[in-house]
Amino acid sequence: MSGAAAGGASSCIGAAAASCSSAGSSYAAAGGEVGIVGRLPSRVLDHVFSYLDLYDLMRCSFVCWHWNNCLADENSEVWRSLCARSLSEEALRSDILCNLTTYKGKLKSYLHALSSHDCSRNVYVKKNGFTLHRNPIAQSTDGARGKIGFYEGRHAWEIWWEGPLGTVAVIGIATKRAAIQCQGYVALLGSDDQSWGWNLVDNNLLHNGEVNGNFPQCNNAPKYQIGERIRVILDMDNKTLAFERGFEFLGVAFRGLPKACLFPAVSAVYGNTEVTMVYLGKPLDG
């Protein structure tokens, strides 16, 4: 298919999706079809869908059951093509996304990664799209938030350090109002009432500038090892934040979280250290 043909097909698909969206989701609920486009063969739809971006694909999934079924396979050529266009080759070939088994899952993780626009001026997101690098700036604590925050639902993501921790290395959550840079070497995440953090250096829980006890709550809790993946579990329905290490559930760290949009967040102090975050989606129970 030529570029012009693909563009025309995309416009047609987009128009059908827009028409359905304006009419609500009754078509999908009732199992209705949208004229001839609702009867196009799956192989034709797959080819056309492979030219669309995520926003258009999500709209297309509501056009009719047939289109929804075509997009249901998260390892289909449609999601593989979009994943290849959106993610860096380094991210797809490395083990960064090793715990995500589908192309759609990898794409969602990229869309939820640490933001290059919502971070301290002393850090940047590397070309792989998932790893935060802190420049060697003296007397500064630097943080970053994820691209997407959460008002509801249950969400999990992994974070790991790929360099020295320094005196402070904090993971957790923050609102949009929380600071992402400050002078000195401090536990920035958890320094105010807008953020909640776990300092991996001394195992302290931090919120509103106070230490809320040690974590995990056990005798001689092991220290964090560089490269070790920590799973963060945010439950906006029960207003809790919990952590896992490996396959071990470490417990609930914070309860009574506010009804606000909360973002994955990190803060670091060591020069040239790197932190990677990978969004996993809904946590698996058990």
Side-chain angles (χ1 to χ4, degrees):
M1 180 182 288
S2 69
S10 299
S11 298
C12 179
I13 295 290
S19 175
C20 177
S21 297
S22 63
S25 58
S26 57
Y27 278 108
E33 303 292 339
V34 185
I36 191 171
V37 294
R39 297 190 296 273
L40 288 173
S42 296
R43 64 182 183 277
V44 174
L45 287 173
D46 284 346
H47 187 74
V48 175
F49 287 161
S50 67
Y51 287 90
L52 304 184
D53 60 22
L54 181 64
Y55 176 73
D56 285 334
L57 288 175
M58 297 308 292
R59 292 202 304 168
C60 286
S61 68
F62 289 102
V63 169
C64 61
W65 284 117
H66 179 44
W67 286 22
N68 185 278
N69 288 336
C70 287
L71 294 170
D73 180 1
E74 297 190 358
N75 269 321
S76 69
E77 177 61 24
V78 175
W79 296 112
R80 187 207 66 77
S81 176
L82 182 56
C83 198
R85 297 199 309 270
S86 304
L87 275 65
S88 70
E89 188 173 333
E90 176 188 349
L92 292 173
R93 290 189 174 184
S94 71
D95 64 351
I96 290 176
L97 304 176
C98 64
N99 289 330
L100 294 169
T101 58
T102 69
Y103 288 117
K104 186 177 179 180
K106 293 174 182 179
L107 183 65
K108 287 176 64 177
S109 183
Y110 173 71
L111 296 176
H112 285 81
L114 291 171
S115 174
S116 59
H117 303 291
D118 193 9
C119 60
S120 165
R121 63 181 180 274
N122 298 323
V123 301
Y124 64 89
V125 176
K126 296 179 67 175
K127 290 182 178 180
N128 64 27
F130 295 89
T131 301
L132 189 78
H133 180 98
R134 182 187 180 275
N135 291 321
I137 305 299
Q139 293 300 315
S140 178
T141 301
D142 306 288
R145 275 181 284 261
K147 297 174 184 174
I148 297 176
F150 310 107
Y151 280 105
E152 59 185 6
R154 301 171 65 232
H155 307 270
W157 58 91
E158 290 180 329
I159 293 183
W160 64 97
W161 247 256
E162 299 181 84
L165 303 183
T167 55
V168 183
V170 189
I171 61 176
I173 53 176
T175 70
K176 272 290 188 181
R177 296 171 58 191
I180 55 174
Q181 192 275 331
C182 71
Q183 295 298 311
Y185 302 131
V186 300
L188 177 60
L189 199 59
S191 64
D192 55 25
D193 64 353
Q194 299 297 309
S195 58
W196 296 256
W198 175 23
N199 186 2
L200 300 177
V201 177
D202 58 16
N203 282 339
N204 282 337
L205 293 177
L206 307 161
H207 175 60
N208 203 18
E210 298 178 350
V211 175
N212 287 8
N214 292 329
F215 188 84
Q217 295 180 347
C218 62
N219 295 327
N220 300 317
K223 296 290 186 179
Y224 176 80
Q225 302 298 314
I226 294 174
E228 190 174 35
R229 297 193 180 205
I230 299 293
R231 185 166 297 186
V232 187
I233 304 170
L234 175 63
D235 187 336
M236 291 301 293
D237 299 329
N238 292 313
K239 303 296 187 291
T240 61
L241 183 70
F243 296 95
E244 291 181 359
R245 177 164 39 211
F247 295 100
E248 179 186 4
F249 181 69
L250 300 179
V252 174
F254 295 99
R255 301 180 186 274
L257 297 174
K259 189 176 182 180
C261 188
L262 301 177
F263 295 75
V266 299
S267 67
V269 299
Y270 200 91
N272 290 322
T273 198
E274 295 184 341
V275 189
T276 300
M277 187 189 91
V278 174
Y279 178 76
L280 303 174
K282 184 178 179 179
L284 298 177
D285 293 321

